[in-house]
Amino acid sequence: MLVRIRPGAELTGAEHELVDCLRTYPSTGLALVDCRVGDRRLGAVIVTPRGITVLEVKGFRRRQSGLLTAAADGTWMISDSPLDLAADASNGLTDRVEHGVHAVRVALEQALQDSRHVSGAVVLVPYRGVVVRPARTALRPGLDVLVANSVDAHELRVYLEGFSAGPREWTVERVLNTCTALGVVEVPSRAELAEEGFGTRRPAPTPVAPPVRTFSEPAPPPDPSRRGKLAGIGLFAAALLGIFVVFVVVGVALIQDSPHPRPMSDTSQTSTTRAPTPATPRKTECWPFQPEC
């Protein structure tokens, strides 16, 4: 890893230990130690092909070993003892890292650069030969605490190689623009950055397939002109049918009702009732002494 220390910087023992660790890493990256962004001093700003991380480096005042308990708010503990740091107390470490991350993002945004892939971490550097675990603890999303020294710096290396899961977007040109935005005095050359492993071209974005729509598309509305034509044809057919019905009714009426009515005939000729025939009286035989005879 390429390391640049600000001219005139007065490093602490823990920061010297961190520089020794970074210079032995074969990973691609640029470490800006004792970086000044605005009025804020940052322990180190690490630029990798996948992003930027801001490190707050702190050493121990005495030899302490055991299980590290780091809380975002409150006192950090090693086993049952408070964490005894060389410079500052553990209270407020998380806030200082967050302020440093914010300062870097603001500087990048003012230079019209992308500030999304910026994270932060607290690096605790214990005495050599002292075992402090766990080596890595997450404080908040994007904020971690690490334990590393020149003897055991495996966890710090793993963090620097994988703290950002984004694509390799930091090219030589982008790293140079980042150094300018952060006010770095000793900017590495393009050849040094290319030899370090930074690319010269930004990778092409991966094409994203459009999402598959699972619902059916609604049918398009019918053409209004076609709908008007169909309505006109229907009305014309109904009118023709009405005229045809009228003609049929009139024709039937004409056939049934003759224009020359038949004259009435004599009732004597047309009547079918026969006149009554008077009965012929029968001849009554008379006997002697028969009355009315």
Side-chain angles (χ1 to χ4, degrees), residues 52-55 97 101 105 116-121 142-143 159 163:
I52 299 176
T53 183
V54 180
L55 302 181
V97 176
V101 171
R105 286 178 175 172
R116 292 176 299 171
H117 304 290
V118 181
S119 60
L143 295 179
Y159 169 79
F163 71 89

Side-chain angles (χ1 to χ4, degrees), residues 63-140:
R63 299 177 69 89
Q64 286 184 293
S65 62
L67 181 63
L68 172 65
T69 303
D73 301 319
T75 303
W76 295 10
M77 306 289 291
I78 290 185
S79 296
D80 296 332
S81 302
L83 189 63
D84 191 7
L85 299 178
D88 303 316
S90 59
N91 294 344
L93 274 178
T94 305
D95 294 337
R96 283 197 289 272
V97 176
E98 287 184 332
H99 293 163
V101 171
H102 178 71
V104 172
R105 286 178 175 172
V106 170
L108 293 176
E109 291 173 358
Q110 290 178 349
L112 303 180
Q113 297 188 34
D114 188 6
S115 62
R116 292 176 299 171
H117 304 290
V118 181
S119 60
V122 177
V123 180
L124 301 178
V125 183
Y127 283 81
R128 296 180 183 180
V130 174
V131 178
V132 177
R133 290 291 182 270
R136 178 180 178 183
T137 303
L139 298 174
R140 294 174 184 170

Side-chain angles (χ1 to χ4, degrees), residues 9 198 253:
F198 288 98

Side-chain angles (χ1 to χ4, degrees), residues 8-23:
E10 297 180 359
L11 304 182
T12 63
E15 291 171 343
H16 279 291
E17 193 91 4
L18 176 66
V19 170
D20 294 339
C21 294
L22 297 177
R23 283 176 173 168

Side-chain angles (χ1 to χ4, degrees), residues 4 19 31 34 42 49 87 99 111 114 117 159 172-173 180 186 195 213 243 254-255 265 273 286:
R4 284 291 184 272
V19 170
D34 192 24
L42 307 178
H99 293 163
D114 188 6
H117 304 290
Y159 169 79
V172 172
E173 190 66 29
T180 303
E186 291 189 356
E195 185 179 357
R213 306 183 69 177
I243 295 174
L254 292 176
I255 292 174
S265 61
T273 304
C286 295

Side-chain angles (χ1 to χ4, degrees), residues 18 39 55 74 102 116 124 142 149 165 171 175 179 191 196 205 225 230 235 247 263 266 272 293:
L18 176 66
D39 58 349
L55 302 181
H102 178 71
R116 292 176 299 171
L124 301 178
N149 54 27
T171 61
V175 173
C179 292
E196 181 61 25
S225 60
L230 294 178
L235 292 176
F247 275 110
D266 189 9
T272 58
C293 179

